[in-house]
Amino acid sequence: MENNREQWSSKASFILAAAGSAVGLGNIWKFPYIAGENGGAAFLFIYLICILLIGLPILNIEILLGRATKKNPVGAFKTLTNNPFWKYVGALGVLASFTILSFYSVVGGWSLAYTYEALIGTFNTPAFNTPLTAGDFFNLKNSNPLWVLGYHTLFLSIVVLILLSGVRAGLEKASKFLMPILLFILLILVVQGLILPDANKGVSFLFQPDWSKINGQTILLALGHAFFTLSLGMGAMMTYGSYLSDNDDIVNASYLVAFLDTVIAILAGVAIFTVVFSSGYDPTAGPGLVFHVLPPLLSDLTGGYFFAFLFFLLLSIAAITSGISILEVSVAYLVDEKQYSRKKAVLIMASMVYLVAIPCALSFNLLSDFTFSFQDKAFTFFDIADYLASNILLPFGGFFLAVFAGYVWGIDEVVRNLLIGESNSIYFGNTVFENKKFKSFFNFTVKYICPVLIFLVFLYSIGWI
Ligand code: TRP
C-alpha cells in the first residue's frame, strides 16, 4: 500500500493545502467576532502568544507524525507504539472529523446560500435595510428545513467531489486554484475597507488593546481558538503531513502555514471592522456579525453589490478548503486501515457526515426546541456538535499529541525526525535545532507548557474552572 500512496507534487502544494485547511470559517467568521467581544488588540496579542507557544510546536508535531509514518491518525499511532491506548486517541480524531464537519457543513451551506443571495441582489432589498431586518431574514430562511438541508447538501457535495479526485487532482488542485483567489478577494476587501470614512477606528479597534477585557477566560478562549484555527487536535494536519515526502522540511512549512493563517485572520478583521465602524455599528455583535451585520452594511457601500458577493465567496472558499481537510482524515483512515478504495471511503464517510449533520441542520427549525441544558444554557444539536468538537475532542487530541511527542516518542526522536528534510539546512531549521537553547525550549513547551495549558482549556470548556 505504502508505495502507491499519493504525495503532494511539491512542498509549496503542501503549504497551500495546509494553509487552505487552516484558513477557514475560524478566521473569517469566528476570529473577528471573538476579538470584537474580547478587547480587540488585547485579545489579538494573547492569541499570538498562544500560536507561538502552543500552536506552532503542536503543528510541527502533527505534520511530523504524518510524514514519519505516512499514515492516518489511527495508523500513525499504531506504527509508532504497540500500546493500543494510542490508537484510540487516533480514533478520537476520526470521530472529531465528522462531528466538526456536521456543523461546519451547515455554516458552509449558509456561506454558499449568501453568495447566491448576494448574486441575485437580495442584499439590496428592504429585507437588508438594517442588521435587525437582516437577522429576521436569516431566521426566516433557517426556519425552512429544506433551505438549510439543501445548502448543506450542496456544500458537502462540493467537498465530496474534490475528495473523490484524490490528493493531487483533488485536494492539491482545489487549494492551488482557490487559495490565490481567496487572498485576492481578501485584499480587495481590505483596501475597500481602508478607504472608507472612519476606517481608522476599525483598525485601531483591532490594534489598540483594551486590557480591561482580558481575564483567565479570555486567555483560554484565545488558546482554544489558536487550536481550531490551525486545524490541530484531530489529525487533519497529520493526514496532510502523511502525503509529504521525507525531503520536505516541516519546520519552515509550519512557520509559513501559521503565518498565513494569522495574517489572513487579521486581514479579515480589518476588512470587517472598517465596514462596521464606518457605519457606526457595534463590533461585539457575536456570531451573527457576518450574516446579520455585514450584508446590509456592505451593500450600502458604493459598489456594495460586488463587495457583498466577494465577501461571501471568500467565506465559501475558506469553508471548502477547510472542509476537505476535515473529511480527509476519516477517508484516509478507511483507505489505510480497512483497505477501502478512495471512492468507497469518501462515499461512506460523507454519507455518515450527511446523516450526523441532519440534526444540526434541523436545529434551526424542526428541532429547535429539542435542546439539552448544560451550564444554564440550552444546547441544540448544532451547539452540541460545535461544543463537543471544539471544547472536548480537539483539546483532548492536542493534549495527547503533546504527551505522545514529549513522553512516548520522546523529544530526541521528534527533533531527529524534524531534521530529516533537505531544505532544513538551507533555512534555519538545522541551526535552530543545533542550538541547544532552542531544543530545550522546544522540549519544555512540548512536555510541560502544552499539556498543562491545553488541560486548563479543557477544564474551562467543560465548566470546571
Ligand atoms: N482551521 C479551520 C478554520 O479555521 C477549521 C478546521 C479545518 C479544523 N480542519 C480542522 C479545525 C481540523 C480543527 C481540526 O475554520
Side-chain angles (χ1 to χ4, degrees):
M1 275 307 279
E2 237 165 68
N3 290 343
N4 50 28
R5 190 182 189 76
E6 272 197 277
Q7 283 191 345
W8 307 110
S9 59
S10 66
K11 182 181 139 199
S13 311
F14 166 74
I15 290 172
L16 272 184
S21 164
V23 175
L25 296 167
N27 302 58
I28 298 166
W29 168 63
K30 210 164 181 192
F31 173 78
Y33 88 74
I34 54 178
E37 287 175 335
N38 293 285
F43 180 82
L44 178 63
F45 180 74
I46 293 178
Y47 166 78
L48 289 179
I49 296 183
C50 294
I51 295 267
L52 285 175
L53 220 58
I54 315 242
L56 261 177
I58 302 270
L59 180 61
N60 272 287
I61 288 171
E62 262 210 31
I63 301 176
L64 179 66
L65 285 176
R67 194 193 63 175
T69 57
K70 308 276 185 288
K71 288 271 165 60
N72 67 95
V74 176
F77 284 118
K78 270 208 300 211
T79 310
L80 294 174
T81 161
N82 291 327
N83 185 339
F85 169 78
W86 292 99
K87 104 179 163 208
Y88 294 107
V89 173
L92 214 62
V94 176
L95 183 70
S97 161
F98 42 86
T99 314
I100 297 186
L101 198 55
S102 65
F103 74 89
Y104 209 86
S105 174
V106 172
V107 185
W110 290 341
S111 314
L112 291 174
Y114 268 52
T115 312
Y116 171 72
E117 298 293 346
L119 198 65
I120 60 170
T122 314
F123 296 162
N124 293 80
T125 61
F128 280 86
N129 273 349
T130 66
L132 212 64
T133 53
D136 291 341
F137 176 89
F138 185 74
N139 294 336
L140 183 71
K141 284 289 182 190
N142 272 296
S143 67
N144 177 358
L146 291 181
W147 186 81
V148 193
L149 277 176
Y151 279 107
H152 146 63
T153 310
L154 180 65
F155 180 82
L156 202 59
S157 314
I158 297 177
V159 167
V160 164
L161 281 180
I162 297 176
L163 289 186
L164 281 177
S165 307
V167 176
R168 273 199 195 180
L171 298 170
E172 178 173 323
K173 223 180 185 175
S175 317
K176 268 191 175 158
F177 175 66
L178 293 173
M179 288 308 282
I181 301 182
L182 180 144
L183 259 178
F184 184 65
I185 297 179
L186 188 57
L187 288 179
I188 296 182
L189 292 172
V190 167
V191 171
Q192 82 85 26
L194 288 176
I195 55 180
L196 289 175
D198 282 341
N200 59 331
K201 281 199 192 144
V203 175
S204 60
F205 173 71
L206 206 57
F207 293 106
Q208 261 174 28
D210 174 1
W211 293 106
S212 68
K213 292 259 177 63
I214 298 299
N215 52 37
Q217 298 201 338
T218 342
I219 299 178
L220 297 176
L221 189 67
L223 186 56
H225 186 64
F227 238 76
F228 186 82
T229 193
L230 288 179
S231 304
L232 300 176
M234 55 155 272
M237 288 300 181
M238 204 188 289
T239 308
Y240 272 21
S242 75
Y243 305 126
L244 261 179
S245 95
D246 286 338
N247 291 330
D248 291 319
D249 70 304
I250 292 175
V251 184
N252 285 287
S254 302
Y255 280 125
L256 258 169
V257 171
F259 175 77
L260 276 172
D261 183 71
T262 308
V263 167
I264 290 178
I266 295 176
L267 289 179
V270 170
I272 292 174
F273 287 126
T274 44
V275 175
V276 171
F277 274 88
S278 84
S279 328
Y281 269 97
D282 181 9
T284 59
L289 188 64
V290 159
F291 293 102
H292 303 179
V293 180
L294 224 47
L297 301 189
L298 277 174
S299 56
D300 266 357
L301 306 174
T302 329
Y305 167 85
F306 183 60
F307 293 128
F309 168 69
L310 283 185
F311 180 81
F312 286 100
L313 187 62
L314 170 80
L315 199 62
S316 306
I317 292 178
I320 291 169
T321 53
S322 296
I324 54 180
S325 78
I326 302 176
L327 194 59
E328 178 64 19
V329 176
S330 351
V331 171
Y333 163 74
L334 284 188
V335 171
D336 294 344
E337 304 304 309
K338 310 280 174 212
Q339 278 79 44
Y340 284 18
S341 68
R342 169 168 274 273
K343 187 169 163 202
K344 191 167 158 199
V346 171
L347 293 178
I348 290 181
M349 283 306 185
S351 314
M352 285 179 57
V353 171
Y354 190 78
L355 293 179
V356 181
I358 289 179
C360 290
L362 299 185
S363 294
F364 300 89
N365 34 68
L366 298 180
L367 296 178
S368 60
D369 291 330
F370 204 91
T371 55
F372 302 82
S373 345
F374 176 62
Q375 292 174 359
D376 298 330
K377 272 193 277 184
F379 280 69
T380 59
F381 277 109
F382 179 94
D383 302 329
I384 292 173
D386 181 6
Y387 190 90
L388 186 69
S390 314
N391 299 346
I392 298 182
L393 298 175
L394 293 182
F396 234 77
F399 172 80
F400 284 118
L401 265 169
V403 170
F404 184 81
Y407 300 93
V408 181
W409 210 25
I411 291 294
D412 287 341
E413 202 49 19
V414 169
V415 169
R416 191 184 68 75
N417 274 280
L418 270 180
L419 288 180
I420 304 173
E422 55 195 8
S423 52
N424 268 327
S425 48
I426 303 171
Y427 300 103
F428 41 98
N430 259 339
T431 31
V432 164
F433 281 105
E434 273 159 16
N435 180 337
K436 285 230 161 51
K437 271 201 195 122
F438 189 87
K439 190 170 166 189
S440 50
F441 167 75
F442 194 73
N443 188 25
F444 186 69
T445 36
V446 172
K447 272 187 156 155
Y448 306 104
I449 301 188
C450 292
V452 170
L453 284 184
I454 297 170
F455 194 65
L456 286 178
V457 171
F458 174 70
L459 290 183
Y460 162 71
S461 305
I462 56 172
W464 286 9
I465 52 173

